[in-house]
Amino acid sequence: MGDTDVTTEPGAPWLIVGLGNPGPEYARNRHNVGFMVADLLAERIGGKFKRAGKAQAQVIEGRIGPPGPANRRVILAKPMSYMNLSGGPVTALRDFYKVPTANIVAVHDELDIDYGVLRLKLGGGDNGHNGLKSMTKAMGPDYHRVRFGIGRPPGRMQVADFVLKDFSATERKELDYFVDRATDAVECLVIEGLERAQSTYNS
C-alpha cells in the first residue's frame, strides 16, 4: 500500500504511537524522538500518561481538533517494552480500543532522511527500524508513519551507537522546533488526512 489516503471507519479512534526506549538513560537519544513528539502532544491534549494495564504501555485518552466533524478521539501511547518489542503493546492497544490498523500512526526516527526533515506515509517497509519491524510483524504494514529524519552516522560510527546517543549540541539548538513541527504534522494527519499532511509537511 502506498502514500494514499484510505477510508477509515467513521468515529473510530486513532492510536498515535511514539516509538522509543523506556528509562531516563534513553530519554534524549535520537532513537527516542517518537517519545519526544508523544510528550509534546500529551501537553497539548492536557493529559498525563498512565500505565495501560496488561498492554505494557503508557497511554493518554483524549481528543484533538476543532469542535465538530473534524474532532478526533485519540489514544496516545508510548510502549514500555523497548523498541524491538513494540509490536506487542501496540497490537494489544489496537485490540482493546478497537482501532482499525489504518488509524494507527507510528512516530519514529529515520536514518535515511536528513536531520529535522519529515516524511509522512502509509504502509511500506521498515527500512531496518526495529520498532517498525516489530509492529509490522505483529499486525502487517498498513499503518501510518511520521518519519523524523536524524541523518546517517558520521564516519565509521555504527548505526546502533548513533541512534542510542543524544542529539548533538548543534542539533539540540533546533530540536524543540523540529519536535513541535512533527507534532503539528501528526495532528494534521489525524484531523485532515494524509494527503493534506504530506503536502504541508513532507520536505
Side-chain angles (χ1 to χ4, degrees):
M1 191 172 288
D3 293 351
T4 56
D5 271 316
V6 293
T7 302
T8 55
E9 296 176 25
W14 284 76
L15 175 58
I16 303 167
V17 182
L19 293 179
N21 287 308
E25 67 271 33
Y26 300 106
R28 304 305 292 174
N29 288 179
R30 293 182 178 93
H31 221 19
N32 269 44
V33 73
F35 273 19
M36 297 175 199
V37 172
D39 286 339
L40 181 55
L41 192 53
E43 286 182 30
R44 294 184 182 184
I45 290 173
K48 292 186 177 181
F49 282 102
K50 297 178 181 178
R51 198 79 182 192
K54 298 178 180 179
Q56 208 175 357
Q58 291 184 349
V59 301
I60 294 173
E61 295 181 59
R63 305 192 77 89
I64 61 174
N71 193 259
R72 302 283 185 259
R73 179 184 170 216
V74 298
I75 297 94
L76 180 60
K78 296 193 295 185
M80 294 286 112
S81 57
Y82 290 100
M83 183 71 84
N84 63 336
L85 299 172
S86 299
V90 175
T91 303
L93 292 171
R94 178 199 66 177
D95 294 345
F96 180 79
Y97 288 103
K98 297 179 172 56
V99 180
T101 301
N103 279 31
I104 296 174
V105 182
V107 186
H108 64 92
D109 57 305
E110 179 61 63
L111 286 160
D112 287 337
I113 302 175
D114 290 341
Y115 173 59
V117 173
L118 295 177
R119 296 277 166 75
L120 287 75
K121 64 182 290 190
L122 172 65
D126 58 58
N127 203 25
H129 191 285
N130 287 332
L132 297 183
K133 192 177 297 183
S134 178
M135 285 181 60
T136 297
K137 183 178 180 182
M139 62 187 185
D142 297 332
Y143 53 91
H144 288 86
R145 299 102 188 276
V146 174
R147 305 156 73 202
F148 186 111
I150 60 170
R152 302 294 302 186
R156 297 183 179 181
M157 183 184 291
Q158 295 295 311
V159 165
D161 294 332
F162 179 69
V163 299
L164 292 177
K165 285 187 181 299
D166 290 359
F167 287 98
S168 69
T170 301
E171 289 169 333
R172 286 198 296 273
K173 292 177 182 177
E174 295 183 292
L175 182 59
D176 287 348
Y177 167 77
F178 288 139
V179 169
D180 189 74
R181 188 167 184 270
T183 307
D184 290 344
V186 172
E187 292 185 331
C188 184
L189 168 61
V190 171
I191 296 167
E192 300 187 60
L194 178 61
E195 288 186 11
R196 174 63 66 87
Q198 285 178 324
S199 66
T200 305
Y201 293 98
N202 277 16
S203 309

